[in-house]
């Protein structure tokens, strides 16, 4: 067995695999560092990684949006970003809101493909979309009886 990885090496390894928010990376580093490094040392490393361009909350948000927006609604995306200690800027949030109906319709089409004929099917489809984080208004528009007219 070789030497344990330094704190910076661990951080760079994790960042090489995927983008991380600074909040998420800080938590991982503190858990990995144990008593060997203080929170101040971890914070200093995060500042260095950010200054060197290795760590970027903006890139993290962009990558998370790219990965999630085709499958999930705004509520779910916002909740995930909050868990990672970041938030959407106003312009990006407006773009997501503007596209939510179209994204929900595509998710619905892939899963169900046909308007619900019975109240139980309508409820099942609504629960599915709500669980994906789409707003109540969007869910209602997708599973409404007029959906077939609306989408043509």
């Amino acid at each position: 067995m070789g030497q344990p990885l330094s704190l910076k090496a661990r951080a760079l390894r994790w960042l090489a695999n995927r983008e991380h928010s600074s909040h998420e990376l800080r938590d991982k580093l503190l858990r990995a560092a144990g008593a060997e490094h203080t929170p101040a040392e971890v914070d200093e490393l995060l500042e260095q990684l950010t200054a060197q361009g290795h760590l970027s909350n903006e890139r993290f948000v962009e990558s998370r949006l790219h990965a999630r927006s085709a499958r999930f609604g705004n509520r779910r995306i916002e909740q995930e970003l909050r868990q990672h200690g970041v938030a959407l800027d106003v312009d990006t949030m407006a773009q997501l809101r503007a596209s939510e109906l179209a994204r929900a319709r595509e998710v619905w089409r892939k899963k169900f493909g046909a308007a619900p004929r019975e109240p139980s099917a309508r409820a099942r489809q609504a629960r599915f979309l709500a669980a994906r984080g789409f707003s109540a208004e969007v869910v209602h528009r997708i599973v409404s009886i007029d959906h077939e007219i609306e989408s043509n």
Side-chain angles (χ1 to χ4, degrees):
M1 289 178 120
Q3 290 270 2
L5 291 176
S6 71
L7 208 54
K8 184 173 184 176
R10 287 180 197 188
L12 289 173
R13 178 177 282 178
W14 287 326
L15 288 169
N17 289 331
R18 70 169 175 86
E19 293 291 341
H20 286 67
S21 70
S22 55
H23 176 78
E24 175 187 23
L25 189 58
R26 183 179 193 276
D27 287 348
K28 283 176 118 174
L29 288 170
L30 286 172
R31 280 192 308 269
E36 296 174 38
H37 297 280
T38 67
E41 291 173 316
V42 171
D43 291 339
E44 184 180 326
L45 174 61
L46 293 174
E47 288 176 20
Q48 289 173 6
L49 293 171
T50 301
Q52 295 168 352
H54 298 297
L55 178 64
S56 168
N57 282 338
E58 292 79 20
R59 275 198 320 264
F60 173 78
V61 168
E62 187 179 302
S63 71
R64 187 57 54 138
L65 283 177
H66 179 73
R68 299 293 199 209
S69 65
R71 295 181 10 224
F72 296 107
N74 297 351
R75 287 187 358 239
R76 172 87 174 258
I77 293 169
E78 288 179 63
Q79 182 261 335
E80 280 188 23
L81 291 175
R82 269 195 309 274
Q83 285 180 331
H84 290 280
V86 294
L88 292 172
D89 61 58
V90 176
D91 292 337
T92 305
M93 192 63 225
Q95 290 172 350
L96 265 184
R97 282 193 183 115
S99 69
E100 187 174 37
L101 180 61
R103 291 182 292 115
R105 188 172 283 137
E106 185 60 19
V107 168
W108 171 86
R109 185 192 63 74
K110 286 180 180 177
K111 176 75 174 175
F112 301 105
R117 301 279 183 232
E118 300 157 5
S120 62
R122 184 174 294 110
R124 184 170 49 86
Q125 290 182 13
R127 282 191 308 270
F128 171 79
L129 291 170
R132 289 287 179 111
F134 292 103
S135 70
E137 177 187 344
V138 167
V139 170
H140 177 71
R141 287 182 68 182
I142 296 294
V143 299
S144 70
I145 295 170
D146 300 331
H147 173 72
E148 289 185 42
I149 296 167
E150 205 178 285
S151 64
N152 289 332

